[in-house]
Amino acid sequence: MSQNFSIVVHQLDHFFGTGKLRKQALFNINLEIAAGEIVIMTGPSGSGKTTLLTLIGGLRSAQSGSLRVVGHEICGATENDLVQARRHNGYIFQAHNLHGSLTALENVQMGLEVHRRWAKADRHRQAAAMLEQVGLAERMHYYPGDLSGGQKQRVAIARALVSRPKIVLADEPTAALDKKSGRDVVDIMHNLAKQQGCTILLVTHDNRILDLADRIVYMEDGRLSKQPEPSALP
């Protein structure tokens, strides 16, 4: 694989279920994403966007074709291989998935603990610095229940980026936010990712953030399709 690409998908198919209930979800997916590129994937609900994102993220094993992420082949990978591949990734979801019993600082530190290569003092310092970068220095000791939706998503971004991942995968990160908060969080994500040189693949229905992408890909009925005119986007 060329070192210029973080993600290379070739003739990828994916199925759910077995026997008579077996249903194909992805059809002959071919996609290359360059290192440092920001790609938005859009398309109707149920078209397979999240399925492809979870395969690229190593959250499940790809079944057929080839899927290489930062040099790791995900198709047919063992659970241990998937764990190793996931260590290159940061994840941001529509639901911020913060631990309610932990402060913002402690939630962000969790993004470092899985790597087991930083001492406790270093984790604290890096998490605090990342929260400062997302504008939450004064709220790092707040619990999620005391933060707004936009602030929670900023914590989620800080947690995803604190380990300086090679790839950030985001699934509808603005769906639960108002216009200003949604724009704020994607601008933060965009700026930090560009600073760190990581690749972003972002699934969204939010037309208001399409301009941050280097490229937009469109999925419909489990297939990557030609990008429709803007007026036809969901």
Side-chain angles (χ1 to χ4, degrees):
M1 182 185 73
S2 169
Q3 293 183 346
N4 292 328
F5 292 99
S6 292
I7 300 167
V8 178
V9 187
H10 182 61
Q11 295 182 346
L12 180 72
D13 296 322
H14 194 73
F15 301 83
F16 290 116
T18 58
K20 293 182 179 179
L21 297 178
R22 192 171 190 245
K23 181 178 179 181
Q24 190 163 358
L26 298 177
F27 299 81
N28 194 33
I29 302 296
N30 293 281
L31 178 66
E32 294 182 339
I33 301 179
E37 189 176 15
I38 297 178
V39 174
I40 283 180
M41 180 161 53
T42 188
S45 296
S47 59
K49 304 184 300 298
T50 295
T51 298
L52 179 57
L53 196 76
T54 57
L55 290 172
I56 291 172
L59 301 177
R60 57 165 59 99
S61 180
Q63 299 163 342
S64 174
S66 177
L67 172 50
R68 296 185 65 84
V69 180
V70 196
H72 294 271
E73 177 59 61
I74 303 299
C75 190
T78 66
E79 182 56 36
N80 184 61
D81 291 336
L82 293 177
V83 169
Q84 295 301 319
R86 288 196 290 267
R87 288 180 175 166
H88 295 291
N89 303 336
Y91 303 92
I92 304 168
F93 300 102
Q94 176 180 343
H96 45 74
N97 294 332
L98 301 181
H99 289 263
S101 62
L102 301 179
T103 65
L105 182 67
E106 291 167 336
N107 269 285
V108 176
Q109 286 184 85
M110 289 188 66
L112 295 169
E113 289 172 1
V114 295
H115 296 273
R116 300 178 182 175
R117 64 174 183 262
W118 286 286
K120 184 176 181 180
D122 290 332
R123 294 198 301 268
H124 184 284
R125 176 181 52 80
Q126 288 177 240
M130 184 57 68
L131 282 168
E132 185 174 354
Q133 284 189 269
V134 300
L136 292 177
E138 297 180 355
R139 287 176 166 76
M140 66 176 63
H141 298 298
Y142 283 44
Y143 289 91
D146 298 319
L147 299 173
S148 70
Q151 289 169 341
K152 291 174 186 176
Q153 200 63 303
R154 290 186 189 200
V155 175
I157 290 170
R159 181 181 57 190
L161 290 170
V162 69
S163 65
R164 302 186 72 86
K166 296 179 180 178
I167 294 173
V168 171
L169 302 167
D171 192 2
E172 300 283 4
T174 65
L177 303 177
D178 60 47
K179 180 178 180 180
K180 184 180 186 307
S181 296
R183 186 72 218 188
D184 286 347
V185 299
V186 296
D187 283 343
I188 289 167
M189 184 168 61
H190 171 271
N191 294 336
L192 287 174
K194 284 297 186 183
Q195 289 173 24
Q196 296 186 6
C198 71
T199 302
I200 292 180
L201 177 59
L202 188 157
V203 166
T204 190
H205 287 101
D206 191 347
N207 293 344
R208 302 168 302 185
I209 65 171
L210 298 181
D211 60 296
L212 77 86
D214 297 316
R215 179 161 52 108
I216 298 171
V217 296
Y218 184 76
M219 180 169 280
E220 188 167 11
D221 296 330
R223 296 175 171 85
L224 288 180
S225 306
K226 181 179 177 182
Q227 178 66 30
E229 294 302 315
S231 60
L233 287 172

